[in-house]
Each structure stands twice: as C-alpha cells, then as structure tokens.
C-alpha cells in the first residue's frame, strides 16, 4: 500500500470536487463519494495480504473466532466509516450519525460469539 498514492488521489479528488462544487454540486458530491469508496476498497484490499502475517505474529489461527471477529469488525468499521463520511459530505449529518450507530451495533453483534466464549472461559476458570 502506497501512502503517497493514497494522499495524491485524495487531494486530486478533493480539488476536483471543490472546483466543481460551485457549478455542479451534485457531480462534486458524486466525485467525492466515488473517490472515498475507491480509496476504502484500495486500503482494505491492501490490508488483506498482511492478515497471514498478523496471524503468524499473534499465534492465532486464521479460522479462529478471535481473528474472524477482528476481521469482521475491521470490515464493518471501514464500510460504516466510508458510508458515514459520504453522508456527511452530502450534508446529511443525521443520516451519517445513524450509519455510525448502525456500524457500532453491527460490531457488537459480530462480537457476541467472542463475548460468549470469553464468558465460558471465565466461568471455567472460576469453577475450577
């Protein structure tokens, strides 16, 4: 993943969107939204090859509940954050807040099996 490429693309899209905002506000919002989505996809796809390195460093297998939950939570955060930012750019702050809340609730729901497993482990330790 190239930080310079990400920054250059974002600044270029921003300049185009700001320039078009006075003449074609609808197109400016679409350019901003499309650039945000493309950057999110690029960043997430750039992160995927490092998953095996992360699992090797932590000693947690790829298919474990811990790694699965972590990756799902990261994906939900990326999608919800991008959607929320697009809504804010379009001036829909209330909608953006609902997307943020929905993303947080989805992370909690995805984490429920992990919480259950941790509670089971704690109960096992307490009961001896």
């Amino acid at each position: 993943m190239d930080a310079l490429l990400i920054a250059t693309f974002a600044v270029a899209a921003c300049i185009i969107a700001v320039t078009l905002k006075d003449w074609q506000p609808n197109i400016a919002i679409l350019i901003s939204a499309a650039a945000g989505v493309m950057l999110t996809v690029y960043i997430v796809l750039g992160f995927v090859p490092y998953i095996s390195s992360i699992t090797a460093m932590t000693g947690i297998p790829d298919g474990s509940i811990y790694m699965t939950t972590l990756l799902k939570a990261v994906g939900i955060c990326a999608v919800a954050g991008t959607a929320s930012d697009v809504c804010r750019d379009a001036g829909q702050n209330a909608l953006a807040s609902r997307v943020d809340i929905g993303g947080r609730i989805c992370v909690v729901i995805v984490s429920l099996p992990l919480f259950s497993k941790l509670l089971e482990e704690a109960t096992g330790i307490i009961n001896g």
Side-chain angles (χ1 to χ4, degrees), residues 11-127:
V11 170
C14 185
I15 290 170
I16 292 169
V18 168
T19 303
L20 288 175
K21 189 174 183 178
D22 292 334
W23 296 302
Q24 295 290 329
N26 294 337
I27 293 175
I29 290 172
L30 289 175
I31 288 173
S32 177
V37 168
M38 289 185 342
L39 281 173
T40 301
V41 168
Y42 177 76
I43 291 167
V44 169
L45 291 178
F47 174 72
V48 169
Y50 298 102
I51 293 172
S52 60
S53 298
I54 293 169
T55 57
M57 285 188 294
T58 60
I60 301 171
D62 282 340
S64 77
I65 190 171
Y66 304 109
M67 191 55 66
T68 303
T69 301
L70 174 68
L71 294 176
K72 285 180 182 179
V74 167
I76 290 168
C77 290
V79 170
T82 300
S84 176
D85 289 343
V86 168
C87 291
R88 276 195 186 83
D89 286 347
Q92 300 297 317
N93 292 328
L95 188 58
S97 295
R98 297 320 171 271
V99 171
D100 286 336
I101 291 169
R104 291 178 188 135
I105 290 171
C106 287
V107 168
V108 169
I109 290 169
V110 164
S111 301
L112 286 177
L114 180 61
F115 293 140
S116 174
K117 185 165 177 68
L118 289 174
L119 183 60
E120 183 181 303
E121 293 288 328
T123 304
I125 291 171
I126 291 171
N127 292 336

